[in-house]
Amino acid sequence: MSELMSAAWELDAEDPLAGVRERFLLDDTVYLDGNSLGALPAHVPGRVEDVVRRQWGELRIRSWEESGWWTAPERIGDRIAPLVGAAPGQIVVGDSTSVNVFKALVAAVRMAGEGRDEILVDATTFPTDGYIAASAARLTGRTLRPVLPAEVPSALTGRTAAVLLNHVDYRTGRLHDLPGLTAAVHAAGGYAVWDLCHSAGALPVGLDEHGVDLAVGCTYKYLNGGPGAPAYLYVRRGLQGRFDSPLPGWNSHAEPFGMTSAYTPADGAVRGRVGTPDILSLLALEAALDVWDDVPVARVRAKSLALTDFFLRCVEAYVPAGRVENLTPVAHAERASQVALRCADAGEVMRTLIERGVVGDFRAPDVLRFGFTPLYVGFADVERAARVLGQVLGTA
Amino acid sequence: MSELMSAAWELDAEDPLAGVRERFLLDDTVYLDGNSLGALPAHVPGRVEDVVRRQWGELRIRSWEESGWWTAPERIGDRIAPLVGAAPGQIVVGDSTSVNVFKALVAAVRMAGEGRDEILVDATTFPTDGYIAASAARLTGRTLRPVLPAEVPSALTGRTAAVLLNHVDYRTGRLHDLPGLTAAVHAAGGYAVWDLCHSAGALPVGLDEHGVDLAVGCTYKYLNGGPGAPAYLYVRRGLQGRFDSPLPGWNSHAEPFGMTSAYTPADGAVRGRVGTPDILSLLALEAALDVWDDVPVARVRAKSLALTDFFLRCVEAYVPAGRVENLTPVAHAERASQVALRCADAGEVMRTLIERGVVGDFRAPDVLRFGFTPLYVGFADVERAARVLGQVLGTA
């Protein structure tokens, strides 16, 4: 057994989260794509079957009350809340991340008032945030200005209405300084909107602690909610009364079954709801969140860093020099839960890796992306992934 | 056996759709709430289990290609298309009805151009359409003017940008004149946006035939897609190149995996997509649509009218005079697939009906609403529902 294999064995033996893997349906594949689609928690199929057969099939319309369908968006929001450092009553689940970015950004601009006519957006953002921010700017008569996250502090002015940032860069895995940037936005009198897609479930976010104004995130990556599972919207409690949604659907009405033609927004997080919630996907997500019941996020973060540290160490040992370039920050404070390696023939390399049982993903034009979900990825997986990568790149 | 029981028996015996009921999981309840939540098609639980266990659980990320997840919104749109009289390539499925109303209305206003500054909305609309129309008007700098559907022709002017109408009134079951109103809107140079929630799957819509510009609808009523199943958006082919979405998420990009910061909209119906599609709910819907494979909508319409005719006849026979007032038009051309009865103590009456195995719903303040899904409701169900209603109202 090689030194790295032994090291992996020891790290797995000492891993307090090792047993959590059994809560998922996995196979021999090394699955390093949980930052794109989380694996299936083992108890979810049974729960979904109950939702379909009994709740829909037998109770039918009665389930809106009896099975708790109607309140699912806010109930599941409260399940996500502790994972992102939010007290209850500030998160609702529903719609896609893109739609929630729209709600959050338009609402933030409205909070900022007429005098502030500029929206800043992370120039390196996952594209949809930029497209939606452009639409929000157009519809609210503001100017959109893309800036690099590091340049946000110097770009803030009295004109800044809102700043849309990614907690983690989806390509490089760089973790941005949420506390510092939020404080800077606030010092300039603007509102900070954070996209947590690549951080929630992988590391502590601390929304309340750091005074984030609004946040959105998906649930199908590190939260394992299933393909296209509904996203969530956080609105800080102190701002909820001023949350003026551009999508005021009937589910956000103070009396949704009053069926009145005048819109009166509900109080609280519910104000972020829009139309009828997507029950099958929502309740699959609710079930998926059970795996977190005894799992502290701090422990997940510690393991995540250990996994990525070990992966970088194994890559250095196994991969021929010069074949890949690490794009992910080495400093822990700047690293989330993935490693991105630049590689000239990344598309072809990833195809081969997948054939050999190591699943990551390819991001155009030249990035191999490996996500490490601490709930079910172990150190032996990491060693094997790097070893197979070394074999593929050594013989290519 | 009473005369009406005999009549029901004969009508069921002659019903060419009688066998379709076996495609659903039903019980002894008379389920007249399919206009709120359609019943469960019997094969859907098995399909959902496959989606969860195999597609998500085993194939995981590969399913975006291998299981056809990525193209599901437009593929399922093409399954809905024949049910609403649309050629392929004009419908995408995803998001809620409310969100699709927003997309459609903002896009329609933009098509109409700067010179047209007014949006007309059905004053009797299901509330969410009105709330969302108000938001669309506010964000595009237009004025929103609620008008009764019958008054739309006289309200149209050269200022009219778009008109948002319901094909069917959700309270009364009145069927509005889609061909005539669409033609009137066009004659005034405006764009017609129709909400098909209470018509699709119950009667022919004829979107292409009547030149409708944009349309939206839910899939959990007469299409039986499941609780909160994704809604759909129709954009007439000739307008797709001018469809300028207020929610330009990455799924509507010409090259979604190009990950470019500049937004270039895709051609065709796909331009109506936004974020990552909600796969579990979408594929449950796709399975649910199988029940339509050999069912012509014209036959569904014929049975629907026969069911509601028979219900009104039974109500007249069984319910003490003066206890209810029929709000639903008697003329076939003005009636959709439900019957609404005004009743002073409607809330309490509906609770009792449900206890006695007849499920309709209550709409504030005083409406008993009964929906007739021709795919699984029979004439004996109708007779029993009216008979139990008569018993409840006779002894109340």
Side-chain angles (χ1 to χ4, degrees), chain A residues 80 93 97 217-226 228-232 285:
Chain A
I80 293 172
V93 182
T97 305
C218 78
T219 60
Y220 46 74
K221 298 181 189 291
Y222 297 105
L223 299 180
N224 312 300
Y232 56 90
L285 164 63

Side-chain angles (χ1 to χ4, degrees), chain A residues 3 18 25 34 85-86 131 140 148 152 187 204 233 275 283 295 308 368 372 378-379 382:
Chain A
E3 180 212 351
L25 286 176
Y131 307 156
T140 58
L148 295 174
V152 164
L233 171 69
L283 300 193
V295 176
T308 49
L368 298 170
F372 299 84
F379 294 89
V382 166

Side-chain angles (χ1 to χ4, degrees), chain B residues 11 14-17 175 201-204 292 295-311 332 335-337 372-375 377 379:
Chain B
L11 288 162
E14 292 161 6
D15 172 15
L17 294 179
L175 176 64
L203 50 94
W292 289 93
V295 177
V297 177
R299 188 163 285 177
V300 168
R301 173 61 168 162
K303 180 174 175 186
S304 161
L305 288 170
L307 288 167
T308 49
D309 275 344
F310 189 58
F311 184 67
H332 282 184
R335 191 199 310 158
S337 202
F372 298 85
T373 301
L375 300 185
V377 172
F379 294 89

